[in-house]
Amino acid sequence: MPVAASAIYFLNLRGDVLINRTYRDDVGGNMVDAFRTHIMQTKELGNCPVRQIGGCSFVYMRISNVYIVIVVSSNANVACGFKFVVEAVALFKSYFGGAFDEDAIKNNFVLIYELLDEIMDFGYPQNLSPEILKLYITQEGVRSPFSSKPKDNKPVPNATLQVTGAVGWRREGLSYKKNEVFLDIVESVNLLMSSKGNVLRCDVTGKVLMKCFLSGMPDLKLGLNDKIGLEKESEMKSRPAKSGKTIELDDVTFHQCVNLTRFNSEKTVSFVPPDGEFELMKYRITEGVNLPFRVLPTIKELGRTRMEVNVKVKSVFGAKMFALGVVVKIPVPKQTAKTNFQVTTGRAKYNPSIDCLVWKIRKFPGQTESTLSAEIELISTMGEKKSWTRPPIQMEFQVPMFTASGLRVRFLKVWEKSGYNTVEWVRYITKAGSYEIRC
Amino acid sequence: MPPPAASARYPSPSQPSGKSEVTDLKSQLRQLAGSRAPGVDDSKRDLFKKVISYMTIGIDVSSVFGEMVMCSATSDIVLKKMCYLYVGNYAKGNPDLSLLTINFLQRDCKDEDPMIRGLALRSLCSLRVPNLVEYLLGPLGSGLKDNNSYVRTIAVTGVLKLYHISASTCIDAEFPATLKSLMLHDSDAQVVANCLAALQEIWSLEASHSEEACREKESLLSKPLIYYFLNRIKEFNEWAQCLILELAVKYVPSDSNDIFDIMNLLEDRLQHANGAVVLATVKVFLQLTLSMTDVHQQVYERIKSPLLTLVSSGSPEQSYAILSHLHLLVVRAPFIFASDYKHFYCQYNEPSYVKKLKLEMLTAIANESNTYEIVTELCEYAANVDIEIARESIRAVGKIALQQYDVNAIVDRLLQFLEMEKDYVTAETLVLVKDLLRKHPQWSHDCISVVGGISSKNIQEPKAKAALIWMLGEYAQDMSDAPYILENLIENWEEEHSAEVRLHLLTAAMKCFFKRAPETQKALGIALAAGIADFHQDVHDRALFYYRVLQYDVHVAERVVSPPQQAVSAFADTQSSEIKDRIFDEFNSLSVIYQKPSYMFTDKEHRGPFEFSDELGNIPITPEASSEIVPAQQYEANDKDLLLSTDEKDDNKGLSSNNGSAYTAPYESSNISSQMQELAISGPAASATTTQSSFDFDDLLGLGLSTASVPTPSPPLLKLNPRASLDPRAFQQKWRQLPISSTQEYSVNPQGIAALTVPQSLIKHMQSHSIHCIASGGQSPNFKFFFFAQKEAEPSDYLTECIINSSSAKAQIKVKADEQSTSQAFATVFETALSKFGMP
């Protein structure tokens, strides 16, 4: 039976219970003590997010300064449990206005209890959609929207359908003065490069994030320059595909609002969007990734007390674009005593707590390069034969209006029966995921 | 929300920190209860909030129960919700007070606002007070018929809750039938989903004792119903989709068209953003196509991509859950993932539990085309800061070396590790080089020259030290200074803490002696002397044994200690394929994460006694040995022995010292004999045979440890051998071969049931009747025993499986016998013996 949880606990870092809810009687109330003594107070913490103690399994996650622990005694569905926690946290965040931490929980515990009752019943997850829950779980104390006595003259939407029904993610009767859609393509580039400059692994995980302020029940259609979609389109319109870059998506997943049957037959992304912010789709690309930065490190160990570090960073995106918030973390040995460095742009600093030279460049234009050269003096440790294991150089950056995959929005059509005009905004941004260069 | 945790920390409500506040609250609530002044709701809200916050931090506020109920007469929905929460928390502990709440909850169940109706109904069902069950029936019945779907969803789960409080009430009220019709006809998806969840649970729990429920359970898997759900799957929310997919897994398709229809219906689910839905779909696909080999493979290809995406998105915990499943698939079909090896490269900042899984996957998928890249990558990790991961990756390199035919390049890498001069790297590598040499002796030349250069002083870990010593002994002729290194080690005998190392040292000294006698003689002498004086039983025994064998004949000694080595062809797999299949059947559950089937970790009560009755191979067989074992240990052993079949790796080590240290036999003579057997057989099952041999010796020496001191009362028709012995393996084998000659059910007298609570009591009792226990296990109410007996003066065995249910006071007996003719007589003896159990 795919029970997701028998009980759920919210603990702070010391192990105090902030909130607890038992859904089924098959786990005892003292289970949280077992979690405290066997996991929180031992080195086990963080070793494995699923642990068994006694007859119970603990599935836990840390989110900011809170541990969320799910307890089950049967052979539960773990993926479902984790997903439930993630979704629940997203729900709480949308209620608390973005923050989820110990204080937020303490300030809203009554609300959380209420929500916990709504989103799961007897261990089975129910509706977790913030859009719908916000309709009737409030701390305002108003009568619910089901109430037969509407307070003002607003038409009472059909709440029955909304709470549990087919289009569970959108309610009827929304209206906006200005109909706007915001679409962001956010990509993170993951790179693992060997010290010789070979790309060992490289992929892009992208998200299409949307923010919709649209009246009524609009139908949206999104066209991208992905290969399958373009081919399908040219096939249907029986005209040759336009030349230009097409992107091959390795895998795509969609928000539940996307009509997957239509995607499979026509390869178009069509959907009735939820109101407000949501993640429309996720994709992954491994072929033809444009790396925004090249990093060329040379590290020389001169004897036992001196090192020379030279790192050159090249931006390889368009000259009109620029990257923001570039941070290059260059690892140095623990016994670093003194550092001397010059940089051509930005500022660098030695941060002993993470054993890194941290080099920050606020704005990095395209098609340029920048170097850091440093001399490092080490404390000589007698008898210490251990050589330094060189951790990789890590990079953080954001490149607006650039996609590492080359993905572009070709069109975004909004159709609603009242036929209003909409304003569409499209943005692109590429961020560093895990961008590692071995040295 | 169980109060016990709270009361544990605050032992009594009279604790100073809580008491004054609680009394304060009490009086304040009392004042407000009757008041109808404007704004009173706001002050009530504050008070309620306070009560609930106390409740959350663990202060016992159950004493304000009465006042809370009085204040609950309000139309403010927020107040009502807090009140429900409070009541739900404390009702179970205060059944009498709960009666007070029934009234207002029942009234609220008829409120005009469906929200309140629903909430009240949920609270009513969550009280969990068995004697209030009768009050549930009415509200539940009308809740199921409510015209608002919100109320109906709650009522449906309410039925399930009722079933768990009182199954009979739920069944008698015919709620399952109502749920079934709701499931088929309700227009609301969530109601339908909850019906499905509730019915699945109710019917599978009922199925064990009701045929009708069993039929109903089957009917859930009928073709029309499955298609009814699958066709509308898009109408359900993501969580309910998981539920439906889980149901579809159990469906047995009628033909291949059926299979393809379902897969077509579900293919788009693989694109769902919710990982749980994707995994559930994957499970359906995998299970459906099990019988169609090539389609099954295509399924692997199809699901690869979505799973890899899921791994790379979401929190590390989520990707861990997905990776565990991917791990299972990778191990099952490594060739399909061979080209995707780069996806399993570790990132520097990943948590170690993710890295560990990735390392195992890299090991599994290494083949001729990608070995070079994978091993190169693994070597990078050997320099990792995280020592545990560094070790794992060296082990991974070693495993790949053992899998591959072309080990040339890998051997070089391993030897490079030795040059890194890090203690733990060297230690791990030595163990690997040892294993590698056992499989590929042809590499000895390259390895030995490097290993010879390692200073034994730098190696501290027992396993590594033992490996080095083993190599010194085995290749004494190739390493010029082997005798001197050994001599050095032997001189420091006293400082060597690990018995394993000392055992290896003895053997290595012997081997070295056979090859280079003049140089080693002195060292061997010292080693044997030190060994015989050793306080560790096994070391002492081995030294003594070597000494005596040498005294007897040096050539015999050489044949025993240093026979010509044969290369090990394959190392034992750690898990049987049967267990792996079971885990695969339980895809998308905790089993995959723990990498063991669910029966090994879920509560024993969940297992039920009959699930494994006919497959003895899977069930615990604990050698009962003698009655000396402390009961606590006994039970622990029962828990562990489930793993017996999985733990047999490494048994084919030629001179394994593990076997020796796994037990401690009490008598010198028996231990030497076991040593002899170990050496002579030097194969698997050594530990089992040694246990057996110690039995024999006990008998020989007339120590009568396992025999009965009480004479058999009133000689029965059949005379049994009071000193019968049978080793567990022989038992297991016989049990498989022999047919059941009689099956009976007896009732056990109440005294017997009472005596059963004392561990070992039944075993001792039966022993006094010359019926010996070979294995036992189980937990109240189901106990399971395996007994055996032997006919006096004849080697004819009787094997019995006995399942006692302490709640129904019944014992089920299955007898298997060598001699069919006397099996009935034995059954009578058994019954007589059992009937006397518990009698003074």
Short mmCIF file of all heavy atoms in Angstrom, two decimals, chain A residues 1 18 24-25 52 57 61 75 77 114 118 124 164 200 250-254 284 389 394 436 438, chain B residues 1-2 56 81 128 150 188 201 271 305 309 315 342 348-349 377 383 422 588 590-591 594 601:
data_model
loop_
_atom_site.label_atom_id
_atom_site.label_comp_id
_atom_site.label_asym_id
_atom_site.label_seq_id
_atom_site.Cartn_x
_atom_site.Cartn_y
_atom_site.Cartn_z
N MET A 1 0.84 -1.20 0.00
CA MET A 1 0.00 0.00 0.00
C MET A 1 0.87 1.25 0.00
O MET A 1 1.77 1.36 0.82
CB MET A 1 -0.86 0.00 1.26
CG MET A 1 -2.25 -0.48 0.98
SD MET A 1 -3.02 -0.95 2.51
CE MET A 1 -2.24 -2.52 2.81
N LEU A 18 8.73 20.91 16.86
CA LEU A 18 8.01 22.15 16.60
C LEU A 18 6.56 21.84 16.30
O LEU A 18 5.65 22.49 16.77
CB LEU A 18 8.63 22.87 15.41
CG LEU A 18 10.11 23.24 15.56
CD1 LEU A 18 10.64 23.81 14.25
CD2 LEU A 18 10.30 24.23 16.68
N ARG A 24 -1.50 7.82 11.42
CA ARG A 24 -1.94 6.44 11.61
C ARG A 24 -1.39 5.95 12.93
O ARG A 24 -0.34 6.40 13.38
CB ARG A 24 -1.42 5.55 10.48
CG ARG A 24 -2.02 5.86 9.13
CD ARG A 24 -1.32 5.09 8.05
NE ARG A 24 -1.77 3.72 8.01
CZ ARG A 24 -2.71 3.28 7.18
NH1 ARG A 24 -3.28 4.11 6.33
NH2 ARG A 24 -3.08 2.03 7.18
N ASP A 25 -2.10 4.98 13.52
CA ASP A 25 -1.69 4.53 14.84
C ASP A 25 -0.57 3.49 14.82
O ASP A 25 -0.18 3.01 15.86
CB ASP A 25 -2.89 3.94 15.58
CG ASP A 25 -3.73 5.05 16.19
OD1 ASP A 25 -3.19 6.15 16.33
OD2 ASP A 25 -4.89 4.80 16.52
N GLN A 52 16.37 3.03 9.27
CA GLN A 52 15.44 2.21 10.01
C GLN A 52 15.90 2.05 11.44
O GLN A 52 17.05 1.75 11.72
CB GLN A 52 15.34 0.83 9.35
CG GLN A 52 14.18 0.06 9.89
CD GLN A 52 14.23 -1.40 9.53
OE1 GLN A 52 15.20 -1.86 8.96
NE2 GLN A 52 13.20 -2.12 9.90
N SER A 57 10.70 3.18 9.87
CA SER A 57 11.64 3.83 8.98
C SER A 57 11.47 5.33 9.09
O SER A 57 10.35 5.82 9.20
CB SER A 57 11.39 3.40 7.55
OG SER A 57 11.64 2.03 7.43
N MET A 61 14.50 15.09 5.87
CA MET A 61 15.10 16.12 5.02
C MET A 61 15.38 17.32 5.89
O MET A 61 14.63 17.59 6.82
CB MET A 61 14.06 16.57 4.00
CG MET A 61 14.14 15.92 2.69
SD MET A 61 12.84 16.56 1.68
CE MET A 61 13.79 16.99 0.28
N ASN A 75 6.09 -0.92 4.42
CA ASN A 75 7.03 -0.77 3.32
C ASN A 75 6.55 0.36 2.42
O ASN A 75 5.94 0.15 1.39
CB ASN A 75 7.12 -2.09 2.55
CG ASN A 75 8.21 -2.07 1.52
OD1 ASN A 75 9.10 -1.21 1.57
ND2 ASN A 75 8.16 -2.97 0.58
N ASN A 77 6.24 4.05 0.22
CA ASN A 77 6.75 4.57 -1.03
C ASN A 77 7.61 5.80 -0.74
O ASN A 77 7.11 6.87 -0.43
CB ASN A 77 5.53 4.93 -1.88
CG ASN A 77 5.91 5.41 -3.25
OD1 ASN A 77 7.02 5.88 -3.49
ND2 ASN A 77 4.99 5.29 -4.17
N GLU A 114 -3.55 22.98 10.52
CA GLU A 114 -4.71 22.91 9.66
C GLU A 114 -4.34 22.35 8.30
O GLU A 114 -5.01 21.48 7.75
CB GLU A 114 -5.25 24.33 9.44
CG GLU A 114 -6.46 24.65 10.24
CD GLU A 114 -6.92 26.05 9.92
OE1 GLU A 114 -7.22 26.29 8.74
OE2 GLU A 114 -6.95 26.88 10.82
N GLU A 118 -5.31 18.95 6.04
CA GLU A 118 -5.93 18.98 4.72
C GLU A 118 -5.13 18.21 3.69
O GLU A 118 -5.69 17.57 2.81
CB GLU A 118 -6.03 20.43 4.21
CG GLU A 118 -7.22 21.24 4.60
CD GLU A 118 -8.54 20.51 4.67
OE1 GLU A 118 -8.93 19.87 3.68
OE2 GLU A 118 -9.20 20.60 5.70
N TYR A 124 -2.54 9.12 3.34
CA TYR A 124 -2.63 9.28 1.89
C TYR A 124 -2.61 10.77 1.54
O TYR A 124 -3.44 11.52 2.04
CB TYR A 124 -3.91 8.64 1.36
CG TYR A 124 -3.95 7.16 1.53
CD1 TYR A 124 -4.69 6.58 2.55
CD2 TYR A 124 -3.23 6.32 0.69
CE1 TYR A 124 -4.72 5.20 2.73
CE2 TYR A 124 -3.26 4.95 0.86
CZ TYR A 124 -4.00 4.39 1.88
OH TYR A 124 -4.02 3.04 2.04
N THR A 164 -11.54 19.53 -5.41
CA THR A 164 -11.17 18.15 -5.68
C THR A 164 -11.22 17.82 -7.16
O THR A 164 -10.88 16.73 -7.55
CB THR A 164 -12.15 17.23 -4.96
OG1 THR A 164 -13.47 17.61 -5.34
CG2 THR A 164 -12.00 17.33 -3.48
N LEU A 200 34.63 15.96 -18.99
CA LEU A 200 34.29 14.61 -18.56
C LEU A 200 32.79 14.43 -18.57
O LEU A 200 32.26 13.40 -18.93
CB LEU A 200 34.82 14.37 -17.15
CG LEU A 200 36.33 14.33 -17.01
CD1 LEU A 200 36.71 14.23 -15.56
CD2 LEU A 200 36.90 13.15 -17.77
N ASP A 250 16.91 15.86 -24.17
CA ASP A 250 17.05 14.45 -23.77
C ASP A 250 15.79 13.96 -23.09
O ASP A 250 15.37 12.83 -23.27
CB ASP A 250 18.21 14.29 -22.78
CG ASP A 250 19.52 14.20 -23.50
OD1 ASP A 250 19.58 14.71 -24.63
OD2 ASP A 250 20.47 13.63 -22.94
N ASP A 251 15.23 14.81 -22.28
CA ASP A 251 14.07 14.36 -21.54
C ASP A 251 13.31 15.57 -21.04
O ASP A 251 13.90 16.57 -20.68
CB ASP A 251 14.51 13.51 -20.35
CG ASP A 251 13.33 12.90 -19.66
OD1 ASP A 251 12.54 12.24 -20.33
OD2 ASP A 251 13.19 13.12 -18.45
N VAL A 252 12.00 15.49 -21.06
CA VAL A 252 11.18 16.61 -20.62
C VAL A 252 10.17 16.13 -19.61
O VAL A 252 9.58 15.05 -19.78
CB VAL A 252 10.39 17.22 -21.80
CG1 VAL A 252 10.00 18.64 -21.49
CG2 VAL A 252 11.17 17.14 -23.07
N THR A 253 9.94 16.90 -18.57
CA THR A 253 8.81 16.60 -17.70
C THR A 253 7.98 17.87 -17.57
O THR A 253 8.51 18.97 -17.65
CB THR A 253 9.25 16.17 -16.29
OG1 THR A 253 10.07 17.19 -15.76
CG2 THR A 253 9.99 14.88 -16.31
N PHE A 254 6.68 17.67 -17.37
CA PHE A 254 5.78 18.81 -17.36
C PHE A 254 5.01 18.92 -16.07
O PHE A 254 4.77 17.94 -15.38
CB PHE A 254 4.79 18.68 -18.52
CG PHE A 254 5.42 18.77 -19.87
CD1 PHE A 254 5.60 17.63 -20.63
CD2 PHE A 254 5.86 19.98 -20.34
CE1 PHE A 254 6.19 17.71 -21.88
CE2 PHE A 254 6.46 20.06 -21.58
CZ PHE A 254 6.63 18.93 -22.35
N ARG A 284 16.31 18.30 -19.83
CA ARG A 284 17.72 17.97 -19.64
C ARG A 284 18.36 17.83 -21.01
O ARG A 284 17.76 17.28 -21.93
CB ARG A 284 17.83 16.66 -18.89
CG ARG A 284 19.21 16.32 -18.38
CD ARG A 284 19.10 15.18 -17.38
NE ARG A 284 18.32 14.08 -17.94
CZ ARG A 284 18.83 13.12 -18.71
NH1 ARG A 284 20.11 13.11 -18.99
NH2 ARG A 284 18.07 12.16 -19.18
N THR A 389 45.50 16.80 -1.53
CA THR A 389 44.55 16.34 -2.52
C THR A 389 43.86 17.57 -3.08
O THR A 389 43.27 18.35 -2.35
CB THR A 389 43.48 15.44 -1.91
OG1 THR A 389 42.83 16.16 -0.88
CG2 THR A 389 44.07 14.18 -1.35
N GLN A 394 35.79 25.67 -8.35
CA GLN A 394 34.35 25.78 -8.57
C GLN A 394 33.98 27.18 -9.01
O GLN A 394 34.62 28.14 -8.61
CB GLN A 394 33.60 25.43 -7.29
CG GLN A 394 33.78 23.97 -6.94
CD GLN A 394 33.08 23.60 -5.66
OE1 GLN A 394 33.20 24.29 -4.66
NE2 GLN A 394 32.34 22.51 -5.71
N GLU A 436 32.62 22.45 -12.18
CA GLU A 436 33.86 22.05 -11.51
C GLU A 436 34.98 21.79 -12.52
O GLU A 436 34.77 21.12 -13.53
CB GLU A 436 33.64 20.77 -10.71
CG GLU A 436 32.69 20.95 -9.55
CD GLU A 436 32.43 19.66 -8.80
OE1 GLU A 436 32.94 18.60 -9.23
OE2 GLU A 436 31.73 19.71 -7.79
N ARG A 438 38.81 20.37 -12.50
CA ARG A 438 39.86 19.74 -11.67
C ARG A 438 41.20 20.38 -11.97
O ARG A 438 41.45 20.82 -13.10
CB ARG A 438 39.92 18.26 -11.95
CG ARG A 438 38.71 17.55 -11.39
CD ARG A 438 38.82 16.07 -11.57
NE ARG A 438 37.64 15.45 -11.02
CZ ARG A 438 37.12 14.31 -11.44
NH1 ARG A 438 37.71 13.66 -12.43
NH2 ARG A 438 36.06 13.81 -10.90
N MET B 1 -1.56 12.99 16.96
CA MET B 1 -0.62 13.67 17.84
C MET B 1 -0.60 13.01 19.19
O MET B 1 -1.46 13.25 20.02
CB MET B 1 -1.09 15.08 18.00
CG MET B 1 -0.03 16.07 17.66
SD MET B 1 -0.79 17.64 17.66
CE MET B 1 -2.25 17.31 16.72
N PRO B 2 0.33 12.16 19.41
CA PRO B 2 0.27 11.38 20.63
C PRO B 2 0.87 12.13 21.81
O PRO B 2 1.97 12.65 21.70
CB PRO B 2 1.14 10.17 20.29
CG PRO B 2 2.06 10.67 19.22
CD PRO B 2 1.50 11.93 18.63
N THR B 56 1.80 21.73 21.76
CA THR B 56 2.86 21.39 20.83
C THR B 56 4.20 21.25 21.51
O THR B 56 4.97 20.35 21.21
CB THR B 56 2.97 22.47 19.74
OG1 THR B 56 1.69 22.64 19.18
CG2 THR B 56 3.94 22.06 18.68
N LYS B 81 -11.73 25.01 14.25
CA LYS B 81 -10.62 24.17 13.81
C LYS B 81 -9.64 23.92 14.93
O LYS B 81 -9.17 22.80 15.11
CB LYS B 81 -9.90 24.84 12.64
CG LYS B 81 -10.62 24.71 11.32
CD LYS B 81 -9.75 25.30 10.25
CE LYS B 81 -10.50 25.60 8.98
NZ LYS B 81 -9.72 26.45 8.10
N ARG B 128 -10.50 8.11 17.75
CA ARG B 128 -9.88 6.81 18.02
C ARG B 128 -10.22 6.29 19.40
O ARG B 128 -9.36 5.82 20.13
CB ARG B 128 -8.35 6.89 17.86
CG ARG B 128 -7.95 7.31 16.47
CD ARG B 128 -6.47 7.51 16.38
NE ARG B 128 -6.18 8.59 15.44
CZ ARG B 128 -4.97 9.02 15.15
NH1 ARG B 128 -3.93 8.48 15.71
NH2 ARG B 128 -4.79 9.99 14.30
N TYR B 150 -16.33 17.54 -0.87
CA TYR B 150 -15.35 17.70 0.21
C TYR B 150 -15.71 16.81 1.39
O TYR B 150 -14.87 16.10 1.94
CB TYR B 150 -15.31 19.17 0.63
CG TYR B 150 -14.34 19.47 1.74
CD1 TYR B 150 -12.97 19.50 1.48
CD2 TYR B 150 -14.78 19.74 3.03
CE1 TYR B 150 -12.08 19.78 2.49
CE2 TYR B 150 -13.88 20.02 4.04
CZ TYR B 150 -12.53 20.04 3.76
OH TYR B 150 -11.64 20.32 4.76
N ASP B 188 -16.53 12.86 -8.49
CA ASP B 188 -15.35 13.57 -8.02
C ASP B 188 -14.14 12.64 -7.93
O ASP B 188 -14.20 11.56 -7.33
CB ASP B 188 -15.64 14.16 -6.65
CG ASP B 188 -14.51 15.03 -6.19
OD1 ASP B 188 -13.53 14.49 -5.61
OD2 ASP B 188 -14.57 16.23 -6.42
N GLU B 201 -7.11 -1.26 1.28
CA GLU B 201 -6.64 -1.59 2.62
C GLU B 201 -7.59 -2.54 3.31
O GLU B 201 -7.18 -3.55 3.88
CB GLU B 201 -6.48 -0.31 3.43
CG GLU B 201 -5.05 -0.06 3.83
CD GLU B 201 -4.90 1.06 4.82
OE1 GLU B 201 -4.88 2.21 4.37
OE2 GLU B 201 -4.78 0.79 6.02
N GLN B 271 6.42 11.47 -18.37
CA GLN B 271 6.84 12.86 -18.50
C GLN B 271 6.34 13.71 -17.34
O GLN B 271 6.51 14.92 -17.33
CB GLN B 271 6.26 13.43 -19.80
CG GLN B 271 7.34 13.87 -20.74
CD GLN B 271 7.34 13.05 -21.99
OE1 GLN B 271 6.30 12.72 -22.54
NE2 GLN B 271 8.52 12.70 -22.43
N SER B 305 15.88 7.67 -19.64
CA SER B 305 15.98 9.11 -19.73
C SER B 305 15.18 9.84 -18.64
O SER B 305 15.73 10.69 -17.93
CB SER B 305 15.51 9.50 -21.11
OG SER B 305 15.99 10.69 -21.47
N THR B 309 16.79 12.24 -15.62
CA THR B 309 16.38 13.62 -15.37
C THR B 309 15.99 13.82 -13.92
O THR B 309 16.38 14.80 -13.28
CB THR B 309 15.15 13.97 -16.24
OG1 THR B 309 15.47 13.66 -17.58
CG2 THR B 309 14.81 15.43 -16.12
N SER B 315 16.06 17.84 -4.68
CA SER B 315 17.00 17.84 -3.56
C SER B 315 17.82 16.55 -3.57
O SER B 315 17.42 15.57 -4.19
CB SER B 315 16.21 17.93 -2.27
OG SER B 315 15.46 16.75 -2.10
N LYS B 342 28.74 8.31 -17.77
CA LYS B 342 29.12 9.65 -17.31
C LYS B 342 28.10 10.26 -16.37
O LYS B 342 28.42 11.13 -15.59
CB LYS B 342 29.33 10.57 -18.50
CG LYS B 342 30.64 10.29 -19.19
CD LYS B 342 31.00 11.34 -20.21
CE LYS B 342 32.36 11.02 -20.80
NZ LYS B 342 32.69 11.87 -21.92
N TYR B 348 31.65 16.98 -6.72
CA TYR B 348 32.46 17.18 -5.53
C TYR B 348 31.61 17.39 -4.27
O TYR B 348 31.93 16.89 -3.20
CB TYR B 348 33.37 18.39 -5.75
CG TYR B 348 34.38 18.59 -4.67
CD1 TYR B 348 35.45 17.71 -4.54
CD2 TYR B 348 34.27 19.65 -3.79
CE1 TYR B 348 36.38 17.90 -3.54
CE2 TYR B 348 35.20 19.83 -2.78
CZ TYR B 348 36.25 18.96 -2.68
OH TYR B 348 37.17 19.13 -1.69
N ASN B 349 30.52 18.12 -4.43
CA ASN B 349 29.75 18.50 -3.25
C ASN B 349 28.59 17.57 -2.93
O ASN B 349 27.81 17.85 -2.04
CB ASN B 349 29.19 19.91 -3.44
CG ASN B 349 30.29 20.93 -3.39
OD1 ASN B 349 31.30 20.70 -2.74
ND2 ASN B 349 30.13 22.03 -4.09
N GLU B 377 38.31 7.72 -13.75
CA GLU B 377 37.48 8.57 -12.91
C GLU B 377 37.55 8.10 -11.45
O GLU B 377 37.69 8.91 -10.54
CB GLU B 377 36.04 8.54 -13.43
CG GLU B 377 35.07 9.41 -12.70
CD GLU B 377 35.35 10.90 -12.85
OE1 GLU B 377 36.09 11.27 -13.78
OE2 GLU B 377 34.82 11.67 -12.03
N ALA B 383 41.73 10.13 -4.36
CA ALA B 383 42.39 11.25 -3.70
C ALA B 383 41.36 12.14 -3.02
O ALA B 383 41.66 13.25 -2.63
CB ALA B 383 43.18 12.05 -4.72
N LYS B 422 49.28 7.00 1.30
CA LYS B 422 48.30 7.40 2.31
C LYS B 422 47.89 6.11 2.98
O LYS B 422 47.59 5.13 2.30
CB LYS B 422 47.09 8.03 1.65
CG LYS B 422 47.33 9.45 1.23
CD LYS B 422 46.04 10.10 0.86
CE LYS B 422 46.32 11.50 0.40
NZ LYS B 422 45.14 12.16 -0.06
N ASN B 588 9.80 0.64 -6.07
CA ASN B 588 9.10 1.83 -5.58
C ASN B 588 8.64 1.68 -4.14
O ASN B 588 7.52 2.01 -3.79
CB ASN B 588 7.90 2.16 -6.48
CG ASN B 588 7.46 3.60 -6.30
OD1 ASN B 588 8.18 4.40 -5.73
ND2 ASN B 588 6.27 3.92 -6.76
N LEU B 590 10.40 1.04 0.17
CA LEU B 590 11.60 1.09 1.01
C LEU B 590 12.56 -0.06 0.72
O LEU B 590 13.76 0.07 0.91
CB LEU B 590 11.20 1.02 2.48
CG LEU B 590 10.72 2.32 3.11
CD1 LEU B 590 10.11 2.04 4.46
CD2 LEU B 590 11.90 3.28 3.27
N SER B 591 12.03 -1.19 0.27
CA SER B 591 12.89 -2.35 0.00
C SER B 591 14.07 -1.99 -0.87
O SER B 591 15.18 -2.46 -0.67
CB SER B 591 12.11 -3.43 -0.74
OG SER B 591 10.91 -3.69 -0.12
N TYR B 594 16.66 0.03 1.12
CA TYR B 594 17.43 -0.81 2.05
C TYR B 594 18.14 -1.95 1.34
O TYR B 594 18.92 -2.66 1.94
CB TYR B 594 16.50 -1.40 3.11
CG TYR B 594 15.90 -0.37 4.04
CD1 TYR B 594 14.60 -0.52 4.50
CD2 TYR B 594 16.64 0.71 4.48
CE1 TYR B 594 14.05 0.41 5.37
CE2 TYR B 594 16.08 1.63 5.35
CZ TYR B 594 14.79 1.48 5.78
OH TYR B 594 14.25 2.39 6.63
N PHE B 601 12.55 -6.33 6.99
CA PHE B 601 12.59 -5.17 7.87
C PHE B 601 11.24 -4.70 8.39
O PHE B 601 11.20 -3.98 9.36
CB PHE B 601 13.32 -4.00 7.18
CG PHE B 601 12.68 -3.49 5.94
CD1 PHE B 601 11.68 -2.53 6.03
CD2 PHE B 601 13.06 -3.96 4.70
CE1 PHE B 601 11.09 -2.06 4.88
CE2 PHE B 601 12.47 -3.49 3.55
CZ PHE B 601 11.47 -2.53 3.66
#
